[in-house]
Amino acid sequence: MDEIKKTHIDVPVCDQNTSLLVPFSHVRKRNGSLQEFDTERIVIAVCAALSETDESESSAACTVMEYVVSELIGESSNADSEYVPTVEHIQDLVEIALMELGLPLTAKAYILYRAKRAEERAEEVLEKIENNDLQVVLRDGTKTRFDSSRIELYLQQNAAEYSNVSVSYLMELLQHNVYDGISVADINQALILVAKSSLEKDPEYGKLAARILINEMNQQVVGDNEFATDFAKRYKTAFVEKINDGVSQNRYDARMNKIFDLQKLASSLVPDRDREFEYRGIQVLWDRYCVRDLEQKLLETPQFFWMRIAMGLAFNEKNPTERAAEFYDIISQMLYVPGSPTLIHSGQPIAQLSSCYLNTVEDDLMHIFKVFGDNAQLSKWSGGIGTDWTNVRATNAMVKAINQASQGVIPFIKIADSTTASINRSGKRRSAAAVYLEVWHMDYEFFLDLRKNTGDDRRRTHDLNTVSWIPDLFMKRVDALGMWTLFSPDETPELHHIYGKEFDAKYAEYEAKAERGEMKIWKQIPAIDLWRKMLTSLFETGHPWMTFKDPCNIRSPQDHVGVIHNSNLCTEITLNTSATETAVCNLGSIALQRHLLPDNSGFDWDKMQSTIETAMVMIDSVIDLNYYPTPEAQTSNVRHRPVGLGFMGFQDVLFKMKLSFGTDQAVALSDKFTEFFAYQAIYASSKIAAEKGSYETYKGSKWDRGLLPQDTIALLETERGASTNTPMDSWMDWAPVRAHIAQHGMRNSNVMAIAPTATIGNISNSFPSFEPIYKNLYVKSNFSGDFTVVNEYLIRDLKSLNLWDDTMLDKLKYYEGSVQNISEIPAHLRDLYREVFEIDPIWTLRHAQVRGKWIDQSQSLNIFCKSVSGKLLSEIYMAAWKMGIKTTYYLRSLAATSVEKSTIDINKKFDGAAGGPPEAAPTPASSVSSKNIVQVFEGQICESCQ
């Protein structure tokens, strides 16, 4: 809004209360500089457009301003680092507001004004370039003339490997993004901007954007880019210098330049591995993960970053330099990527490397507030949190000390919500937490309402995720149309700490007592009615998620030393908790697609085995190296040593192997590689135990009793009295693993968990976890603007058939990324590239079922449902429970239109194979709207664990 001046316009005085709530102070101008955020600029701009049309009173400008501010507040609340909106984005929101207010003429005037000013700015820049008057500020502060030939040469050097990139096209775009007095660094940023804005044309533009950003990092850290003649020598020298600088400024652990041979490690660096990064991955490192010095100057290039992590995980090894080089070799190729806290803190003075924390709140005021403080510390150091609240007595239960009725658990959860909102994890990500409650708790119906936008805000939580902890007995009562009874835990103290048949018997005993009038607080309700309320809340608000108590506990390796009371923030961790033990899990994931044979015909099993064995050493070392924010966390983690090795990139594998997700062949592949994954992970843990000893509580565990994860399916079925119908096929000889465990034990109480991997998936260019593709085409938003991303596998296949051109791109935009109505695309490709809402949800469950039999913890299982049918939702979740699936995560429902179509030629019509665009399903409140589609599926919501 900086170009609009207040001249001859009647500007109303707007209520500024809304703007006072904006949690940011600046906007980013087109030249990259920051300017103070001023709502009056929005009002002035809208008034100027209104004056051109007389379409409405000038007071409409205040309404537009309030809309824009509201949208910005919402976006900033979902941002995981400091939020700085751009001028362009604010102007886009103004256009949307004008259209929604029914002011099309004013919107047109505003759009035309923006276009005119853009043209004027471009003409001004072009004139200065032609007259040789445009000034550039060099890195040393001196000025020189803008030389487009030097920039073109630099672009050609960066783009030499990319045959589909047009340098002349990018140079034309660049002229609209430079200004007088631009710095060299900002020219690089402008080059990145124009390259990534062309991503929709070809994925190579994204690779070019990554290359330019990496060279900017090289320039800042090494002092030159990769095209310098002595770059290799300077690169190694800079590594040693930056380690020493980081140690001297207390940005690195003091051991970094004491116990390692830095020259040898410098020789192990492979700068060419920077080619593995896509733009979205390297941007994450630039924005958040690479360490900076006290003046906020970069200390790390991408390969320095990987080596810093490797060194931080090798402190306790017998040969730390050799081990660090081994670890670096694995993670720099992104065969295995540790979880985000490890990436952030490894090698730093305070190394909080663990991803997830789980704790239980006792029915005691002192302990309740202790947990608030504990969770603040855990969040501060980047942990994602899951807290069990079931022990706290219900509303109207008597507090004997004061002889008054309790207000129940909801007011305390509200405090937890405020605590969560107030913490920024390591200055890198917003705090995130989940709260769990068993469905027999008397306050459970209040719990269902916590995420609603209506009602008493004192009994609403806007930042916490809510999760239902569901015993098998409840699901049986729903299935049988039976009754369900709610209790207060102070009268039923055992229920939360038992499961299976023991729970069933004790629960029936309490119901009998209630019917005899021996219980003070209880309520009976048809189980199906409560189930409907649960599904309605889940559909309307996305919460509470559904997790199943009995499968988690019955199949737990640690059933001999405690009870699992809840899962974690992302529902893949299933560990015991108590007042004295806060469960901790340490995460990392292998990238499946990087373990395929060169011809993509199958997996390179030897390579995968090697990766898993090294990954297990790294992930186990986290336990001993970790900084623990609370003593309860340290006690638990040192005693049991649980880890959660997972994987990502399953959809990449399917695309490479030309297998559709919703097929028996794909399910069989899930089964086969997960068995191999489990076999090698368990074996690796036992091998570490042979060298370093078993974990403290190994004796009496399922491992010690000869029970592996696949053996526990039968235990669950016996306890339930019903089959899960899990296919029990196996292709590996497990006898060596069983024999090794019997002789040497296990290093870790728990070995596997499949996390969401949103952030590390971005870093490693992997589709998240085991998820099907969400969209073949979507708009990605970040601080530099919006740009369209197209599925590179789809582009590759379309190119092979000579089907990829601007017209095909327009068709993809028209159909929101779906290929189902584009008749030119062969049927086998339309089937291969089905988006997740075009796949029957039962396939997702079948994949989860066969994976789950091999895994000792759980998996972050999103449920994708296109339909608005409550009956279908009920069938999906009932099927998940009957299959023995332990936990589910978000319910994703179909989004409204979300792909920008303004660049489509309006004269084209795309009738497609079905005679028109696909019918859009109604969008419930829980669905992903156009403004948050990228936030949800590009890591800002799902990234909490990894």
Side-chain angles (χ1 to χ4, degrees):
M1 321 311 293
D2 46 311
E3 306 91 344
I4 300 173
K5 306 300 180 184
K6 187 175 181 179
T7 57
H8 308 297
I9 301 172
D10 178 23
V11 179
V13 178
C14 302
D15 181 4
Q16 297 294 307
N17 290 336
T18 304
S19 63
L20 295 176
L21 299 174
V22 177
F24 54 86
S25 56
H26 291 81
V27 298
R28 192 174 300 281
K29 298 175 67 177
R30 292 174 182 82
N31 62 10
S33 64
L34 296 180
Q35 167 182 295
E36 185 176 349
F37 178 68
D38 183 358
T39 55
E40 188 179 16
R41 292 178 179 272
I42 300 172
V43 176
I44 293 171
V46 175
C47 284
L50 286 166
S51 67
E52 295 290 322
T53 65
D54 294 325
E55 194 170 38
S56 178
E57 296 292 331
S58 61
S59 59
C62 295
T63 304
V64 172
M65 179 272 289
E66 289 169 359
Y67 170 88
V68 172
V69 169
S70 175
E71 291 295 296
L72 294 174
I73 290 173
E75 292 173 3
S76 65
S77 68
N78 282 326
D80 52 2
S81 56
E82 184 179 357
Y83 180 72
V84 182
T86 64
V87 167
E88 290 284 354
H89 179 53
I90 292 174
Q91 292 183 342
D92 290 342
L93 291 175
V94 170
E95 288 183 15
I96 294 171
L98 289 170
M99 293 301 295
E100 291 194 355
L101 281 174
L103 301 173
L105 297 179
T106 304
K108 180 180 179 180
Y110 186 77
I111 293 169
L112 290 174
Y113 175 79
R114 286 184 68 183
K116 180 182 177 183
R117 282 296 299 131
E119 187 176 334
E120 289 172 353
R121 287 193 302 271
E123 289 175 354
E124 291 168 4
V125 169
L126 286 172
E127 184 177 351
K128 286 190 175 184
I129 292 175
E130 290 171 359
N131 295 333
N132 207 24
D133 288 339
L134 199 69
Q135 295 283 308
V136 176
V137 180
L138 302 178
R139 294 182 189 274
D140 62 4
T142 61
K143 293 185 177 181
T144 188
R145 302 288 184 185
F146 179 88
D147 186 348
S148 59
S149 63
R150 290 182 61 185
I151 297 172
E152 186 171 4
L153 174 62
Y154 181 64
L155 258 182
Q156 289 171 344
Q157 289 174 318
N158 280 279
E161 299 174 15
Y162 311 126
S163 59
N164 296 311
V165 167
S166 169
V167 171
S168 59
Y169 168 74
L170 293 176
M171 286 299 298
E172 183 179 345
L173 292 179
L174 178 66
Q175 294 177 349
H176 298 277
N177 289 274
V178 295
Y179 52 91
D180 194 27
I182 191 171
S183 68
V184 171
D186 283 343
I187 288 177
N188 276 344
Q189 289 298 320
L191 289 173
I192 292 167
L193 179 64
V194 298
K196 72 177 187 178
S197 68
S198 305
L199 256 172
E200 63 181 35
K201 294 183 176 295
D202 195 283
E204 286 190 350
Y205 284 98
K207 296 181 186 296
L208 174 62
R211 185 88 170 267
I212 296 170
L213 181 53
I214 289 167
N215 271 316
E216 175 63 24
M217 297 170 79
N218 287 331
Q219 190 76 49
Q220 293 188 22
V221 177
V222 180
D224 215 330
N225 61 52
E226 64 176 297
F227 306 113
T229 54
D230 60 346
F231 177 73
K233 180 180 178 181
R234 295 182 68 176
Y235 195 85
K236 294 176 182 178
T237 301
F239 172 74
V240 177
E241 291 174 349
K242 294 304 178 183
I243 292 293
N244 289 325
D245 288 348
V247 170
S248 68
Q249 295 188 43
N250 200 37
R251 298 297 290 127
Y252 291 146
D253 189 297
R255 291 172 288 182
M256 294 283 276
N257 63 356
K258 291 181 180 178
I259 68 173
F260 296 103
D261 183 338
L262 295 182
Q263 296 292 343
K264 188 172 183 179
L265 290 179
S267 298
S268 300
L269 294 168
V270 186
D272 281 349
R273 288 182 182 165
D274 288 347
R275 303 287 196 280
E276 298 293 326
F277 286 102
E278 297 289 337
Y279 176 73
R280 61 180 181 174
I282 200 64
Q283 185 192 41
V284 171
L285 302 195
W286 167 271
D287 287 340
R288 290 186 283 164
Y289 284 11
C290 284
V291 174
R292 297 175 182 263
D293 66 17
L294 297 177
E295 296 180 353
Q296 296 305 302
K297 295 179 180 178
L298 273 179
L299 286 172
E300 297 176 345
T301 68
Q303 298 308 310
F304 292 9
F305 162 81
W306 290 127
M307 186 61 82
R308 184 256 300 170
I309 295 161
M311 293 165 70
L313 294 175
F315 285 146
N316 291 351
E317 297 295 323
K318 293 178 181 178
N319 300 299
T321 298
E322 288 74 13
R323 270 299 202 185
E326 178 188 353
F327 294 167
Y328 165 80
D329 195 49
I330 293 291
I331 60 178
S332 65
Q333 296 181 74
M334 294 182 275
L335 299 172
Y336 164 77
V337 183
S340 285
T342 303
L343 300 183
I344 294 169
H345 295 132
S346 182
Q348 296 196 48
I350 300 179
Q352 196 301 107
L353 310 175
S354 297
S355 299
C356 304
Y357 293 89
L358 295 73
N359 50 18
T360 295
V361 180
E362 295 295 303
D363 189 28
D364 173 81
L365 195 62
M366 293 289 289
H367 192 257
I368 289 171
F369 278 85
K370 180 185 185 304
V371 171
F372 290 148
D374 288 352
N375 286 355
Q377 289 297 321
L378 298 172
S379 289
K380 173 184 176 181
W381 293 106
S382 208
I385 300 168
T387 301
D388 158 44
W389 285 90
T390 302
N391 287 320
V392 177
R393 70 191 66 193
T395 304
N396 293 323
M398 187 60 64
V399 181
K400 293 181 180 178
I402 59 174
N403 195 33
Q404 293 293 323
S406 168
Q407 295 185 68
V409 71
I410 300 302
F412 293 118
I413 294 179
K414 176 64 176 179
I415 297 174
D417 182 63
S418 299
T419 304
T420 299
S422 66
I423 304 294
N424 188 315
R425 291 186 285 169
S426 300
K428 307 291 184 182
R429 303 186 289 176
R430 293 176 64 245
S431 182
V435 292
Y436 286 72
L437 201 71
E438 272 205 68
V439 298
W440 53 260
H441 195 289
M442 190 70 182
D443 285 347
Y444 180 73
E445 289 178 288
F446 299 138
F447 185 77
L448 291 175
D449 294 336
L450 281 174
R451 290 299 298 253
K452 288 185 176 180
N453 292 322
T454 58
D456 186 352
D457 198 59
R458 293 170 299 179
R459 298 177 69 83
R460 298 291 180 266
T461 57
H462 304 296
D463 290 282
L464 284 176
N465 298 294
T466 60
V467 194
S468 299
W469 193 237
I470 307 171
D472 276 0
L473 183 61
F474 173 74
M475 299 302 291
K476 292 176 182 177
R477 296 275 183 95
V478 172
D479 206 26
L481 301 180
M483 299 299 291
W484 186 247
T485 309
L486 306 178
F487 297 107
S488 180
D490 62 318
E491 292 190 278
T492 57
E494 303 95 337
L495 289 183
H496 191 41
H497 310 290
I498 55 179
Y499 52 87
K501 292 179 180 177
E502 185 181 5
F503 175 91
D504 296 357
K506 180 58 69 173
Y507 187 85
E509 180 182 320
Y510 280 126
E511 284 187 310
K513 287 182 67 176
E515 290 173 1
R516 294 195 301 266
E518 298 174 12
M519 306 288 284
K520 294 179 180 177
I521 297 177
W522 62 282
K523 175 184 177 181
Q524 203 162 63
I525 181 175
I528 192 67
D529 288 355
L530 185 57
W531 179 243
R532 288 193 186 102
K533 289 183 179 180
M534 293 163 67
L535 292 171
T536 299
S537 177
L538 186 62
F539 181 73
E540 290 180 347
T541 72
H543 293 84
W545 308 328
M546 293 194 186
T547 57
F548 302 109
K549 172 184 179 179
D550 286 21
C552 293
N553 277 283
I554 293 166
R555 298 189 61 205
S556 169
Q558 291 294 94
D559 57 346
H560 65 307
V561 289
V563 174
I564 300 169
H565 295 107
N566 58 295
S567 185
N568 66 317
L569 172 63
C570 304
T571 75
E572 82 277 16
I573 304 303
T574 52
L575 300 174
N576 301 342
T577 58
S578 68
T580 58
E581 290 194 1
T582 293
V584 184
C585 204
N586 317 291
L587 301 179
S589 300
I590 67 170
L592 294 176
Q593 80 279 16
R594 296 179 185 272
H595 293 84
L596 287 172
L597 294 168
D599 63 358
N600 296 324
S601 61
F603 285 107
D604 184 335
W605 300 114
D606 291 339
K607 183 178 182 180
M608 189 181 291
Q609 177 183 351
S610 176
T611 297
I612 290 172
E613 287 182 350
T614 304
M616 283 299 296
V617 174
M618 281 190 274
I619 203 169
D620 178 68
S621 69
V622 166
I623 297 163
D624 301 310
L625 296 167
N626 196 48
Y627 165 76
Y628 294 97
T630 69
E632 292 82 3
Q634 183 167 13
T635 296
S636 175
N637 215 29
V638 171
R639 285 189 74 206
H640 312 302
R641 305 186 67 85
V643 299
L645 185 65
F647 51 77
M648 55 189 168
F650 180 56
Q651 179 66 91
D652 296 271
V653 169
L654 293 181
F655 285 152
K656 284 175 175 286
M657 294 182 69
K658 306 301 182 187
L659 286 176
S660 300
F661 186 92
T663 60
D664 290 329
Q665 294 92 328
V667 172
L669 182 65
S670 278
D671 197 347
K672 184 174 184 178
F673 83 74
T674 308
E675 179 179 1
F676 184 88
F677 168 80
Y679 185 106
Q680 300 301 340
I682 294 168
Y683 207 169
S685 179
S686 187
K687 289 176 181 177
I688 300 172
E691 177 187 351
K692 299 180 179 180
S694 292
Y695 67 94
E696 182 181 327
T697 57
Y698 168 76
K699 196 66 178 175
S701 67
K702 281 190 172 71
W703 307 110
D704 182 42
R705 284 147 39 203
L707 294 170
L708 300 185
Q710 62 268 34
D711 303 326
T712 62
I713 295 292
L715 298 181
L716 175 62
E717 291 176 340
T718 298
E719 200 77 7
R720 280 186 178 177
S723 173
T724 62
N725 294 311
T726 302
M728 296 306 297
D729 301 337
S730 173
W731 68 283
M732 302 189 73
D733 178 11
W734 284 83
V737 177
R738 294 180 187 274
H740 199 279
I741 294 173
Q743 182 177 357
H744 299 289
M746 289 285 289
R747 181 64 171 169
N748 312 98
S749 66
N750 299 75
V751 177
M752 296 159 286
I754 311 177
T757 75
T759 302
I760 66 171
N762 279 344
I763 291 172
S764 62
N765 192 33
S766 302
F767 279 100
S769 194
F770 44 75
E771 300 285 358
I773 188 170
Y774 177 70
K775 299 289 288 183
N776 286 311
L777 178 146
Y778 62 92
V779 178
K780 179 174 172 58
S781 300
N782 58 37
F783 298 148
S784 302
D786 299 342
F787 57 98
T788 303
V789 180
V790 187
N791 178 1
E792 62 182 275
Y793 295 106
L794 173 61
I795 292 179
R796 193 175 304 161
D797 282 344
L798 291 177
K799 280 183 175 180
S800 70
L801 298 172
N802 294 319
L803 291 175
W804 182 248
D805 54 22
D806 288 342
T807 299
M808 181 60 72
L809 174 60
D810 283 348
K811 288 189 177 184
L812 275 176
K813 289 182 177 181
Y814 183 81
Y815 289 112
E816 299 293 324
S818 173
V819 299
Q820 301 310 308
N821 290 287
I822 303 177
S823 58
E824 302 98 295
I825 297 178
H828 72 279
L829 289 185
R830 294 204 301 271
D831 193 47
L832 177 63
Y833 291 109
R834 288 185 183 277
E835 298 173 343
V836 70
F837 289 110
E838 296 166 344
I839 299 171
D840 190 322
I842 198 66
W843 288 109
T844 303
L845 299 184
R846 287 188 59 190
H847 280 277
Q849 183 181 33
V850 297
R851 284 192 305 263
K853 71 180 174 186
W854 304 112
I855 299 170
D856 58 319
Q857 292 201 71
S858 191
Q859 44 195 320
S860 294
L861 178 64
N862 287 318
I863 301 296
F864 296 89
C865 186
K866 174 181 177 180
S867 173
V868 298
S869 165
K871 181 176 183 292
L872 178 59
L873 274 186
S874 179
E875 290 172 351
I876 291 171
Y877 283 97
M878 184 62 73
W881 169 71
K882 288 183 177 181
M883 287 178 171
I885 290 170
K886 295 177 182 177
T887 59
T888 66
Y889 196 25
Y890 282 96
L891 169 64
R892 308 292 194 190
S893 46
L894 189 61
T897 297
S898 54
V899 177
E900 177 59 55
K901 298 187 178 70
S902 62
T903 57
I904 296 177
D905 185 342
I906 61 173
N907 294 312
K908 294 179 180 178
K909 293 184 179 180
F910 304 123
D911 293 333
E919 182 180 352
T923 305
S926 63
S927 68
V928 184
S929 69
S930 59
K931 68 182 178 183
N932 69 12
I933 182 173
V934 175
Q935 293 168 355
V936 171
F937 291 96
E938 285 301 302
Q940 293 188 16
I941 291 177
C942 296
E943 72 166 357
S944 303
C945 287
Q946 294 203 56

